[in-house]
Amino acid sequence: MADRNDELFAGRAAKAARLRSLGIEPYPITTARSHTTAEAVSALEQAEAAGEAAGPEVAIAGRITALRDQGRLTFLDLRDGSGRIQVMLRANTLGAESYALLKQFDLGDFMRVTGTLIRTRTGEPTVQASSFSMLAKALQPPPEKYHGLTDVEQRYRRRYLDLIANDEVRRIFRVRSQVVAAMRRFLDGRGFIEVETPVLVAESGGAAARPFKTFFNALSEERSLRIATELHLKRLIVGGLDKVYEIGRIFRNEGISTKHNPEFTMLESYEAYADYRDVAEMVEQMVAGIALEVFGAMMLPYKGGSIDFTPPWQRRTMRELLIEHGGLDFEHFRSEEAMRAELRRRGIDAPAAAPWGKLLDEAWSTLVEPKLIQPVFVLDYPVELSPLAKQKPDDSSLVERFEAFAGGFEIANAYSELNDPLEQRRRFEEQLRQRDRGDDEAELVDEDFLFALEHGMPPTGGLGMGIDRLMMVLADQASIREVILFPQMRAERPHSAQGHDD
RNA sequence: GCGCCCGUAGCUCAACGGUAGAGCAGUGGACUUUUAAUCCAUUGGUUGUAGGUUCGAAUCCUACCGGGCGCACCA
């Protein structure tokens, strides 16, 4: 019972109690500060630029991340959301009684310091303290200061410790926020409006995926969590909103991998009077613009090489790339039997029940996808794989669809949206036949969506883009868990915080 | 679901089948310009869990729990 962590906890709790016994609240309300740590550093630089020896008086606050006790002189580092700054505390300027209170401060505690901005002998920007106080006592010890927290499970389960310990992790999630903000600015600037559509839906549609299911007590009905926003956003195009987008959480009841988290964030946009060529132009402008705005360049490092997002990106057909990278021309294997035999000959295994389109997809993801490092739009997919996309006018076996690839995997998917209600009904019915064959991810017939289409939907270009995957490519991360703050994991058996013993 | 690998102190890591150790953190002490501070001393372990093999198991075997990677599933 009395393990090590209990002792560390008890020691810190005792310090909090000692402060209280001295009439000092270890969790006070007041936090007033005049500068963030970053503002304090620049205030010092400005004063120096004006020829002054020292900066102004400041009040700063932050977490103690380093503590260097030298007897009657102590240095410590305070970190807040803006950065860090060194604090120097001297016994003779603070007085022996006040200085002695430092003994009750530990790594991880939050502290407020007032004092003058100076530079130490080594040139380090420093607050020379004239007073200090506790803002919040930490009862658990922080991770090791040099190596940080490296245990991957702990990093994901206790992301707060990961964020405390690892600068790079903090940077990635700041960048993620900037990427999403830049995306909104881009779309808003093009006249799109941001909308919100239901997460809880009666039937999940708009993508090939299994849903999570839940129960709506008040209505005594089943609900699914959405697997896409597509069918609702198209209803808004029917309604005349013309340019809509949603950045939202999507849920797919499927496996977890370095490229898959069961809940992930997707941008979907729909633009009336546009087709998939217009959408491609928008995507390359948007991604290149985000790269430039957030990272300051269109060429970004990736897995030891680099990716150049400068528009225009290459446009290639799926057939060309399959021939080029895999020596496979699907026109020679148009039947399911022929395609299956060809895959078997190449040692690519595919699910037994897979129809032709799935087999092709299998060949594609094995032979071509990993090689598409530089951004490329892959055009003209087989109609079998795309029940919501419009056929090409000159070849009804293909649809007006592209997928954008970068970094070796898909980052976006777009169509000239199918707006012929009768053809859409036939496609849904074909999906039903797939479902009867055992494909439980085939689309369900959404009668209200068809009813909406029957009222007329203008020609529309639609886009889906995985924000998490885009982040992986932009921030050069090999696992989707590195760009999701709290990735899904098996539930941990309860391991309680301390201090409420029973 | 399958395969491979991993699980040792709060954290980062050691330990030919033969007494579980180091650094950081903690505790006590020294130190008024340090910044992975330094120096002296020191506390801390049901080696993920449960079995098994063995004179002897952190180490070998089995099952389970948790995780990573790959495959499968899946955009």
Side-chain angles (χ1 to χ4, degrees):
Chain A
M1 187 68 207
D3 69 17
R4 184 60 184 175
N5 200 28
D6 288 329
E7 292 175 36
L8 296 174
F9 182 91
R12 285 165 174 262
K15 291 179 181 178
R18 222 166 289 145
L19 286 173
R20 251 192 198 115
S21 73
L22 295 168
I24 298 167
E25 169 56 46
Y27 302 97
I29 291 166
T30 359
T31 62
R33 58 177 179 173
S34 65
H35 293 69
T36 66
T37 59
E39 287 166 354
V41 171
S42 52
L44 175 62
E45 283 163 358
Q46 280 169 27
E48 288 169 340
E52 293 165 35
E57 284 277 319
V58 296
I60 57 163
R63 187 193 290 277
I64 302 173
T65 57
L67 195 50
R68 296 179 290 279
D69 174 4
Q70 292 186 67
R72 277 169 286 281
L73 170 70
T74 295
F75 290 97
L76 54 81
D77 293 347
L78 283 193
R79 193 170 79 206
D80 64 13
S82 72
R84 60 161 282 283
I85 193 166
Q86 177 172 264
V87 174
M88 179 168 70
L89 302 111
R90 303 173 61 160
N92 60 351
T93 48
L94 289 160
E97 192 179 336
S98 169
Y99 187 81
L101 286 175
L102 268 183
K103 285 272 180 250
Q104 313 311 320
F105 286 67
D106 290 302
L107 290 175
D109 294 353
F110 285 90
M111 184 188 215
R112 178 174 184 270
V113 174
T114 65
T116 310
L117 287 163
I118 59 159
R119 254 176 224 280
T120 59
R121 240 168 27 197
T122 54
E124 178 82 11
T126 300
V127 178
Q128 177 154 17
S130 50
S131 77
F132 66 93
S133 61
M134 181 69 76
L135 288 182
K137 182 76 193 165
L139 299 182
Q140 298 283 1
E144 201 250 11
K145 65 182 173 189
Y146 184 58
H147 299 91
L149 187 66
T150 61
D151 181 272
V152 179
E153 180 178 356
Q154 293 305 315
R155 288 189 46 234
Y156 297 155
R157 284 197 193 279
R158 303 202 215 299
R159 186 67 92 177
Y160 44 93
L161 296 181
D162 192 27
L163 289 164
I164 289 171
N166 298 317
D167 296 346
E168 173 67 3
V169 174
R170 288 198 301 281
R171 189 188 68 82
I172 286 172
F173 289 107
R174 285 219 176 79
V175 162
R176 179 172 174 138
S177 164
Q178 290 164 2
V179 164
V180 174
M183 185 174 283
R184 285 203 162 91
R185 273 196 298 277
F186 177 91
L187 291 164
D188 293 346
R190 287 206 167 203
F192 281 81
I193 64 168
E194 183 172 8
V195 298
E196 293 172 274
T197 63
V199 171
L200 293 171
V201 295
E203 293 284 4
S204 61
R210 269 180 287 266
F212 286 92
K213 291 206 169 37
T214 185
F215 192 75
F216 195 147
N217 291 334
L219 301 184
S220 292
E221 286 180 4
E222 288 246 312
R223 284 290 182 272
S224 295
L225 304 190
R226 65 186 180 189
I227 57 173
T229 49
E230 176 153 0
L231 301 184
H232 279 101
L233 292 176
K234 284 183 185 170
R235 284 170 168 88
L236 300 180
I237 297 294
V238 170
L241 292 185
D242 280 4
K243 290 182 175 188
V244 296
Y245 75 94
E246 178 162 8
I247 294 173
R249 200 68 61 85
I250 301 296
F251 307 84
R252 295 184 181 174
N253 204 340
E254 287 154 3
I256 298 177
S257 78
T258 49
K259 293 191 178 83
H260 300 263
N261 194 58
E263 53 176 317
F264 62 99
T265 303
M266 187 150 80
L267 162 70
E268 283 197 44
S269 73
Y270 292 84
E271 179 175 4
Y273 316 111
D275 62 23
Y276 78 141
R277 288 168 201 82
D278 302 310
V279 177
E281 182 269 344
M282 182 181 88
V283 166
E284 63 192 4
Q285 293 297 326
M286 178 166 71
V287 174
I290 289 170
L292 192 60
E293 203 171 320
V294 177
F295 299 89
M298 291 191 192
M299 174 120 54
L300 299 181
Y302 188 75
K303 288 188 176 168
S306 62
I307 300 181
D308 186 356
F309 291 101
T310 308
W313 300 353
Q314 277 195 34
R315 271 104 170 132
R316 306 292 302 279
T317 66
M318 189 185 202
R319 186 172 166 222
E320 278 170 16
L321 289 169
L322 257 172
I323 293 170
E324 181 178 320
H325 292 284
L328 176 68
D329 185 349
F330 61 69
E331 291 298 345
H332 299 159
F333 306 98
R334 285 310 304 229
S335 78
E336 189 181 318
E337 298 72 38
M339 181 62 84
R340 187 178 299 281
E342 177 63 9
L343 290 194
R344 196 173 303 120
R345 193 181 70 73
R346 289 164 174 266
I348 300 170
D349 48 53
W356 185 83
K358 284 251 182 198
L359 295 174
L360 180 64
D361 192 42
E362 194 64 43
W364 168 263
S365 50
T366 309
L367 298 173
V368 186
E369 206 173 297
K371 296 180 179 165
L372 303 179
I373 303 302
Q374 297 305 317
V376 57
F377 292 115
V378 180
L379 308 177
D380 301 343
Y381 282 70
V383 65
E384 292 90 336
L385 292 176
S386 317
L388 301 166
K390 189 179 280 185
Q391 282 150 310
K392 290 185 77 72
D394 54 344
D395 184 350
S396 64
S397 73
L398 298 175
V399 289
E400 295 216 326
R401 170 181 184 181
F402 74 73
E403 291 190 341
F405 288 82
F409 53 86
E410 178 205 341
I411 59 169
N413 179 21
Y415 318 136
S416 297
E417 302 296 340
L418 178 56
N419 62 343
D420 174 343
L422 299 180
E423 171 64 12
Q424 182 67 76
R425 183 175 292 280
R426 284 193 288 275
R427 300 276 194 91
F428 275 144
E429 284 164 356
E430 174 57 29
Q431 290 290 305
L432 270 188
R433 282 191 287 278
Q434 303 290 357
R435 188 166 277 265
D436 291 341
R437 280 186 53 164
D439 181 358
D440 54 359
E441 289 161 4
E443 292 275 350
L444 297 159
V445 182
D446 184 331
E447 283 296 341
D448 182 70
F449 172 65
L450 287 170
F451 192 62
L453 284 190
E454 286 164 6
H455 285 82
M457 183 173 86
T460 296
L463 168 70
M465 186 160 186
I467 304 294
D468 314 277
R469 290 189 172 181
L470 178 66
M471 272 302 299
M472 289 171 67
V473 174
L474 291 177
D476 191 13
Q477 294 299 312
S479 170
I480 201 167
R481 297 184 194 88
E482 296 296 340
V483 301
I484 292 174
L485 278 166
F486 299 99
Q488 283 294 336
M489 300 179 86
R490 202 175 292 276
E492 192 179 25
R493 69 177 188 290
H495 109 115
S496 62
Q498 300 180 37
H500 56 84
D501 39 22
D502 45 353

